């Protein structure tokens, strides 16, 4: 794997051994990998930093590994062997797939070099952890980020798929497991993987919150909202809500293609 180094000196955070690789996505729908690397080269590091960014067919290393990082906003900053960002500005599936493969291969390579297991979001301290998992599981959490799941989900990569891909990789030449299988294709989104909330604004201005899962939708009362949020979070979906006016086209499509069920 070709890693371009545009390095900046970063503070040491915590102490060895560093037992986690953190997977992130940038949250920025417009930035290229180079934009992100440029920003990292001049930003206040106390406000956060990472070690690699993947995008536009490139892997750019922005900081040394094995020093911790201010990347997950909590006590697991002290466990960061490497923090890898995936850009979120892919315009086509082909662009996404190329970078997704690089992202997975890089996470695998970093885990192997640090002797970290290729596990995703397990309760064990050691392993590959998403920022979302850190947010919900680390001590002294101060983060509300749930990346990279919503973005991966947007392109049809489920939690299970991501987990599998981290174990098997894509059989690239630098794959030290000697895995020569045909590369896994990211699967297209299955019905049961689609889950999100939205707000419907009625003609009179009142708002309803709805949950869509697969080809069904349900109206959420205040009590059910907490359950729905937990469900979304546990299954790696975003809890963000798009707001639609009652006559919005996207809303009409949602209502056309889903059946109403009771919670
Ligand atoms: Zn993050």
């Amino acid at each position: 794997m070709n890693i371009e180094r545009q390095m900046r000196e970063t503070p040491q955070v915590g102490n060895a051994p560093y037992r986690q690789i953190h997977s992130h996505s940038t949250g920025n729908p417009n930035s290229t990998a180079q934009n992100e690397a440029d920003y990292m080269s001049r930003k206040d590091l106390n406000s956060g930093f990472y070690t690699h960014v993947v995008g536009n067919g490139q892997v750019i290393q922005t900081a040394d590994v094995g020093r911790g990082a201010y990347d997950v906003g909590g006590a697991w900053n002290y466990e960061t062997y490497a923090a890898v960002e995936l850009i979120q500005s892919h315009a086509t599936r082909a662009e996404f797939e190329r970078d997704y493969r690089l992202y997975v291969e890089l996470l695998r390579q970093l885990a192997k070099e640090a002797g970290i297991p290729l596990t995703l979001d397990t309760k064990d301290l050691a392993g590959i952890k998403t920022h979302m998992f850190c947010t919900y599981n680390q001590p002294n959490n101060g983060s509300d980020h749930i990346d990279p799941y919503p973005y991966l989900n947007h392109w049809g990569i489920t939690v299970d798929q991501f987990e599998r891909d981290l174990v098997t990789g894509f059989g690239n030449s630098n794959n030290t497991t000697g895995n020569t299988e045909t590369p896994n294709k990211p699967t297209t989104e299955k019905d049961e993987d689609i889950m999100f909330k939205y707000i419907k604004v009625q003609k009179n201005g009142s708002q309803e919150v709805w949950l869509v899962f697969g080809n069904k939708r349900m109206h959420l009362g205040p009590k059910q909202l907490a359950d729905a949020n937990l469900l979304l979070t546990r299954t790696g979906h975003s809890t963000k809500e798009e707001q639609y006016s009652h006559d919005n086209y996207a809303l009409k499509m949602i209502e056309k293609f889903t059946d109403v069920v009771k919670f």
Side-chain angles (χ1 to χ4, degrees):
M1 174 178 300
N2 185 32
I3 299 180
E4 204 180 311
R5 289 160 65 88
Q6 298 180 23
M7 310 281 285
R8 180 174 179 189
E9 214 169 300
T10 52
Q12 179 162 352
V13 182
N15 295 294
Y18 296 99
R19 285 166 285 206
Q20 298 177 357
I21 309 288
H22 291 155
S23 83
H24 297 266
S25 59
T26 61
N28 187 334
N30 301 309
S31 65
T32 63
Q34 190 57 57
N35 291 154
E36 293 290 339
D38 289 345
Y39 178 56
M40 166 85 187
S41 72
R42 60 174 190 267
K43 72 183 295 202
D44 173 8
L45 294 179
N46 292 314
S47 71
F49 68 90
Y50 52 86
T51 63
H52 297 76
V53 58
V54 176
N56 317 104
Q58 280 178 290
V59 177
I60 305 176
Q61 183 174 2
T62 52
D64 268 330
V65 295
R67 298 172 58 79
Y70 297 134
D71 71 311
V72 291
W76 285 354
N77 284 343
Y78 305 129
E79 295 293 343
T80 310
Y81 177 78
V84 180
E85 294 276 358
L86 176 65
I87 63 162
Q88 290 194 196
S89 56
H90 301 102
T92 65
R93 174 162 295 280
E95 282 179 26
F96 170 79
E97 283 188 16
R98 177 187 60 179
D99 285 350
Y100 173 70
R101 285 165 184 242
L102 283 173
Y103 182 63
V104 166
E105 286 303 331
L106 178 63
L107 291 167
R108 283 165 51 79
Q109 182 173 313
L110 291 164
K112 285 179 191 169
E113 79 183 31
I116 290 170
L118 294 170
T119 53
L120 178 67
D121 290 352
T122 61
K123 291 285 178 189
D124 271 351
L125 188 59
I128 299 169
K129 313 289 182 198
T130 60
H131 194 166
M132 187 189 93
F133 187 81
C134 296
T135 295
Y136 288 98
N137 294 279
Q138 69 183 334
N140 300 324
N141 177 61
S143 173
D144 61 357
H145 291 194
I146 57 169
D147 57 290
Y149 281 131
Y151 189 64
L152 295 182
N153 228 267
H154 171 78
W155 289 104
I157 303 293
T158 62
V159 181
D160 288 349
Q161 177 82 48
F162 187 34
E163 188 174 31
R164 268 199 307 277
D165 291 340
L166 286 172
V167 172
T168 60
F170 292 105
N172 285 354
S173 52
N174 285 335
N175 184 335
T176 50
T177 63
N179 181 347
T180 53
E181 293 161 38
T182 39
N184 293 339
K185 268 235 143 113
T187 53
T188 48
E189 205 156 13
K190 287 176 294 197
D191 268 0
E192 63 263 36
D193 296 324
I194 298 171
M195 204 189 293
F196 61 91
K197 282 184 304 175
Y198 66 90
I199 297 172
K200 178 178 183 178
V201 183
Q202 302 283 24
K203 249 188 193 150
N204 65 8
S206 69
Q207 299 192 349
E208 293 176 348
V209 184
W210 287 80
L211 177 73
V212 171
F213 54 103
N215 57 2
K216 300 185 173 58
R217 73 181 190 277
M218 61 174 62
H219 182 221
L220 299 174
K223 276 195 187 136
Q224 294 143 358
L225 193 56
D227 289 343
N229 284 337
L230 193 65
L231 180 67
L232 286 160
T233 305
R234 284 225 181 110
T235 52
H237 295 86
S238 170
T239 54
K240 285 204 185 115
E241 302 158 334
E242 213 52 72
Q243 185 164 313
Y244 300 114
S245 168
H246 61 93
D247 57 358
N248 178 279
Y249 178 76
L251 174 69
K252 286 190 174 156
M253 288 298 106
I254 291 170
E255 292 183 336
K256 182 173 174 187
F257 290 110
T258 55
D259 298 323
V260 177
V261 293
K262 293 248 185 267
F263 200 84

